Amino acid sequence: MDDALKNDLFLLVGYLLSSAHGLYDEPASYGPFRLLDAAGRLLEVMQSHNLSDPFLAEIEKELAKERFGAMSDLSMRDDLNALVMRYTAELKSRTPGL
Amino acid sequence: MMDAMDAIFTRRSVRDFTSQPIPDELLDKVLQAGVAAPSGGNLQACRFVLVQSPERLAGLRALAPGIIGRPTAMIAICKDNRPPSNMGGVGDEHSAWIDVGTALENMLLGAHSQGLGACPIGSFHKQAVAEFLDLPEHVSVVLLLALGTPRTSPGAPGRRPLSEVVFRERWGGSGSG
């Protein structure tokens, strides 16, 4: 693993830990958002180190709409459900024996 | 120069930035706008830490989950917690908090009027950020301000109508007189 990737993952660990601590005092709806944001950050790291693929790049674009929109646009639950189902279809296609 | 009312009504909380660095003169203007903000008793209890180094920004982002995108500059808006008499002012703790709010709004509007995107960040690990920024014990960080060139800008989130939040002459009073 190269040093740049190690550093990006090191920073991601910090984000996850500081998010976990912050969520004790933040609104409950921030929890799903932090996980969604974490997925987006992980995909960014994968993308910047050529570890992504076209499907994940599409997912990253979809996540960006949620991450960078106005905070009151919390129709996020339905959008997340659609993303999970899209991911599931891809998972099935990638899983041998299904 | 953007009209003040235009700036107020078109400003958005921008979280998505390009990698284009912000010219120093624009950042200086934003900081000057913060320092020029109203201050209770002219206490001027706000302190500001500007972070521009990409490595330091990445570190700050790891400690502040509220930073969603990748700003090219951050300003930590801090409060000097020493007694007002030690700072040569006459304000109090309450006015120091208000100073943070007035400074923030001045900087948000100053940034927007210069074409910059900005977003106040309240979600961060306060102790960790203070340690990362080497703040002295009598200074605490209240808010972070993310700054950059906007890549995308969110729509207006909507606000309560005046009829719901503004009363005339007395609580519950409506109409024009």
Side-chain angles (χ1 to χ4, degrees):
Chain A
M1 192 186 295
D2 66 56
D3 286 347
L5 176 56
K6 269 187 197 169
N7 189 53
D8 282 348
L9 293 175
F10 172 78
L11 292 169
L12 192 56
V13 169
Y15 168 82
L16 291 169
L17 293 175
S18 59
S19 291
H21 179 266
L23 284 171
Y24 279 111
D25 299 317
E26 291 183 324
S29 63
Y30 278 31
F33 182 82
R34 293 282 181 253
L35 282 173
L36 178 153
D37 189 37
R41 288 174 188 235
L42 178 59
L43 288 170
E44 281 176 359
V45 170
M46 292 170 70
Q47 185 91 2
S48 69
H49 294 276
N50 296 317
L51 297 170
S52 190
D53 61 35
F55 172 77
L56 291 175
E58 276 302 309
I59 294 287
E60 187 192 342
K61 276 186 200 162
E62 291 298 315
L63 287 175
K65 289 179 196 165
E66 305 290 339
R67 295 168 70 205
F68 299 123
M71 286 299 281
S72 61
D73 294 339
L74 293 177
S75 60
M76 207 174 75
R77 187 175 184 148
D78 290 343
D79 296 339
L80 263 177
N81 188 55
L83 267 182
V84 172
M85 294 316 296
R86 199 166 147 191
Y87 173 86
T88 304
E90 179 71 13
L91 176 67
K92 283 179 78 175
S93 75
R94 294 188 188 197
T95 308
L98 282 179
Chain B
M1 182 72 76
M2 188 183 285
D3 174 77
M5 295 304 269
D6 281 345
I8 289 169
F9 291 118
T10 60
R11 185 206 62 78
R12 299 287 175 266
S13 289
V14 175
R15 300 177 179 82
D16 190 15
F17 307 102
T18 71
S19 57
Q20 187 181 336
I22 304 172
D24 283 346
E25 58 268 28
L26 297 191
L27 278 175
D28 283 350
K29 283 276 186 195
V30 172
L31 288 162
Q32 284 166 13
V35 172
S39 172
N42 205 25
L43 180 62
Q44 302 179 66
C46 287
R47 303 290 181 266
F48 308 91
V49 182
L50 172 65
V51 178
Q52 289 178 276
S53 131
E55 294 80 14
R56 302 275 299 161
L57 287 169
L60 208 45
R61 195 168 174 257
L63 304 174
I67 306 172
I68 309 298
R70 292 179 183 276
T72 49
M74 296 283 308
I75 297 172
I77 306 175
C78 306
K79 189 167 80 66
D80 190 322
N81 297 312
R82 288 177 298 173
S85 54
N86 288 16
M87 286 191 278
V90 295
D92 56 20
E93 172 79 7
H94 182 64
S95 55
W97 284 109
I98 294 172
D99 284 7
V100 171
T102 58
L104 170 68
E105 183 66 0
N106 261 21
M107 288 195 284
L108 288 170
L109 294 175
H112 176 53
S113 71
Q114 299 184 102
L116 300 174
C119 184
I121 309 291
S123 294
F124 58 92
H125 194 294
K126 290 173 179 55
Q127 189 182 349
V129 169
E131 169 69 19
F132 186 71
L133 296 177
D134 293 325
L135 297 187
E137 277 194 10
H138 63 276
V139 174
S140 56
V141 57
V142 181
L143 283 168
L144 300 174
L145 180 60
L147 291 156
T149 302
R151 176 160 37 210
T152 60
S153 185
R159 289 290 188 262
R160 296 178 197 279
L162 257 60
S163 59
E164 190 180 323
V165 297
V166 176
F167 307 115
R168 296 180 191 276
E169 307 303 339
R170 66 184 66 81
W171 186 266
S174 61
S176 57

